[in-house]
């Protein structure tokens, strides 16, 4: 059994829109922080001759995209034998917490390890991105920029230990969202009159956020992170039919963050394509922010995170993982697993 794990990421400047070329090529650049503790595990083993691929989330989740990705990855990585794949996350899946980013980054790593030949010149960024665009940013740790254009690539702007920011996440809904990011982006690009303005505003936000990260300047970072998220949602709201990812508690948390700021706590929110609110603050403020968010009606629970590392191979499943019964006795190949 081959095991790899990867973390989710929080986009400080959001990817929202694709080019027409396919493979989840982004229409705008984005910059994220990889989130320690929000982790997906991918387990891969070979199937017997004559069997076909099998790829599932455990507990069950949306398998269609997973199956398509595995078929594509096998072709690109030239994996001759059929594979059995299980993906599991230690946080709610499909609800706007970037489970697809961590899952496809982990799966890219695990499948690259399963390749018959060294994946040498295979572009793993493009492969991860084809599963879910934001997964390419989870291939690196720390602060990561996804650059677009002719040379579509990811690069680390700063390592995880460059700035030990805290990210406090208010979970306002555990169930999967109604409209996927994929569908949401297509609808926004094809129907929202604000989409062009969204793309035009991207370079300014990107450069402000990149500079603020490099200088570890939360007062400069926070307002841009907040406005970038709000502009993404405003653009999506302008679609036909409208796209509203928020719950009443989402708005209540946003107001609580503004209230905390009025009281002098430097805390700033971001929201992805879902109802959860991610609050960025200095580590010293995290306890107070978490306590305040826990009290907001409609908040189910509060998760804590900080900048984390890129994916890695594992010898054993992490302690939180519960693989399906038939997997539990599957040995990890000798020498397999880097760390
Ligand atoms: C709002 O990467 O999930 O979280 O490429 O269609 O799989 P697909 O979309 P996905 O979209 C993420 C959108 C976002 C912003 C971001 O992470 O940059």
């Amino acid at each position: 059994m081959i095991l790899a794990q990867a973390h989710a990421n929080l986009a400080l400047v959001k990817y929202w829109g694709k080019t027409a070329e396919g493979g989840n090529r982004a229409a705008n650049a984005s910059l994220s922080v990889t989130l320690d503790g929000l982790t997906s595990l991918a387990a891969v083993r070979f199937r017997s001759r004559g069997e076909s691929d099998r790829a599932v989330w455990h507990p069950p989740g949306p398998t269609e995209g997973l199956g398509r990705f595995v078929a594509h990855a096998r072709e690109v990585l030239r994996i001759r034998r059929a594979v059995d794949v299980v993906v599991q996350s230690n946080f709610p899946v499909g609800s706007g917490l970037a489970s697809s980013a961590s899952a496809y980054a982990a799966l890219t790593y695990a499948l690259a390890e399963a390749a018959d030949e060294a994946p040498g010149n295979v572009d793993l960024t493009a492969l991860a991105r084809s599963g879910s665009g934001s997964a390419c940013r989870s291939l690196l740790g720390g602060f990561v920029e996804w650059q677009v254009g002719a040379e579509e690539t990811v690069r680390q702007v700063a390592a995880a230990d460059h700035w030990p920011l805290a990210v406090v996440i208010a979970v306002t809904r555990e169930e999967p969202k109604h409209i996927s990011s994929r569908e949401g982006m297509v609808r926004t690009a094809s129907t929202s009159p604000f989409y062009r303005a969204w793309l035009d505003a991207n370079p300014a936000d990107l450069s402000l956020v990149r500079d603020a990260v490099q200088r570890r300047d939360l007062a400069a970072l926070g307002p841009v992170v907040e406005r970038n998220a709000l502009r993404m949602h405003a653009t999506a709201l302008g679609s036909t039919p409208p796209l509203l990812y928020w719950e009443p508690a989402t708005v209540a948390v946003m107001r609580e963050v503004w209230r905390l700021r009025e009281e002098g706590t430097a805390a700033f929110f971001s929201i992805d394509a879902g109802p959860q609110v991610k609050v960025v603050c200095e580590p010293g403020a995290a306890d107070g922010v978490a306590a305040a968010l826990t009290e907001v009606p409609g908040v189910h629970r509060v998760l804590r995170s900080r900048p984390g590392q890129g994916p890695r191979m594992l010898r054993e499943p992490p302690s939180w993982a519960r693989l399906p019964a038939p997997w539990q006795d599957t040995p990890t190949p000798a020498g397999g697993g880097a760390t």
Side-chain angles (χ1 to χ4, degrees):
M1 168 166 62
I2 295 164
L3 296 169
Q5 73 163 36
H7 299 308
N9 66 75
L10 164 62
L12 304 170
V13 176
K14 311 285 185 201
Y15 143 57
W16 196 254
K18 305 172 200 258
T19 70
E21 290 155 273
N24 293 328
R25 280 179 162 269
N28 68 284
S30 54
L31 198 156
S32 61
V33 53
T34 301
L35 294 180
D36 187 51
L38 263 58
T39 310
S40 291
L41 172 73
V44 174
R45 59 184 183 177
F46 293 108
R47 301 206 76 191
S48 306
R49 202 181 292 273
E51 290 183 314
S52 44
D53 292 331
R54 187 170 57 186
V56 296
W57 284 89
H58 184 74
T63 50
E64 194 196 327
L66 216 51
R68 254 199 322 266
F69 177 77
V70 168
H72 173 63
R74 274 191 57 203
E75 202 181 309
V76 171
L77 293 164
R78 297 206 193 112
I79 300 174
R80 283 187 275 274
R81 285 189 284 166
V83 291
D84 202 1
V85 168
V86 174
V87 177
Q88 187 165 99
S89 302
N90 69 350
F91 61 97
V93 167
S95 65
L97 287 173
S99 53
S100 62
S102 51
Y104 285 105
L107 198 45
T108 297
Y109 251 58
L111 288 169
E113 185 80 5
D116 296 317
E117 297 148 32
N121 45 17
V122 174
D123 181 354
L124 293 185
T125 306
L127 180 56
R129 196 184 69 215
S130 73
S132 186
S134 51
C136 68
R137 295 188 313 239
S138 278
L139 290 180
L140 295 172
F143 298 83
V144 182
E145 184 173 337
W146 173 4
Q147 299 167 311
V148 298
E151 280 290 304
E152 189 152 354
T153 139
V154 287
R155 69 168 189 112
Q156 190 182 61
V157 172
D161 60 5
H162 163 76
W163 193 7
L165 270 183
V167 180
V168 181
I169 302 166
V171 177
T172 62
R173 188 185 149 98
E174 308 271 348
E175 297 80 36
K177 58 195 170 202
H178 306 297
I179 310 274
S180 67
S181 301
R182 186 155 311 198
E183 204 182 324
M185 284 187 216
V186 170
R187 191 188 297 177
T188 304
S190 55
T191 67
S192 176
F194 312 133
Y195 181 61
R196 187 69 251 165
W198 158 253
L199 295 181
D200 289 345
N202 173 258
D205 282 5
L206 187 72
S207 107
L208 289 168
V209 165
R210 192 193 299 120
D211 286 357
V213 166
Q214 276 158 352
R215 287 185 283 110
R216 298 188 198 91
D217 184 346
L218 184 58
L221 180 87
V224 186
V225 167
E226 253 182 33
R227 87 173 182 202
N228 186 268
L230 289 172
R231 286 175 179 180
M232 183 197 99
H233 284 273
T235 310
L237 263 169
S239 307
T240 309
L243 279 163
L244 177 60
Y245 284 105
W246 302 347
E247 295 289 329
T250 312
V251 179
V253 173
M254 289 155 66
R255 290 198 180 284
E256 179 61 15
V257 170
W258 285 336
R259 195 193 63 77
L260 286 167
R261 264 217 312 278
E262 268 166 28
E263 281 184 353
T265 303
F268 302 87
F269 64 74
S270 181
I271 308 165
D272 284 316
Q276 332 297 4
V277 187
K278 295 126 191 202
V279 181
V280 177
C281 60
E282 296 287 359
D287 284 347
V289 169
L293 300 193
T294 307
E295 294 302 314
V296 175
V299 170
H300 293 233
R301 56 189 167 130
V302 169
L303 309 173
R304 303 271 291 259
S305 190
R306 60 198 154 106
Q309 307 295 335
R312 65 189 177 105
M313 307 303 300
L314 301 173
R315 288 185 197 286
E316 301 286 336
S319 55
W320 54 263
R322 298 283 172 275
L323 290 176
W327 285 76
Q328 282 160 14
D329 303 324
T330 311
T332 310
T339 44

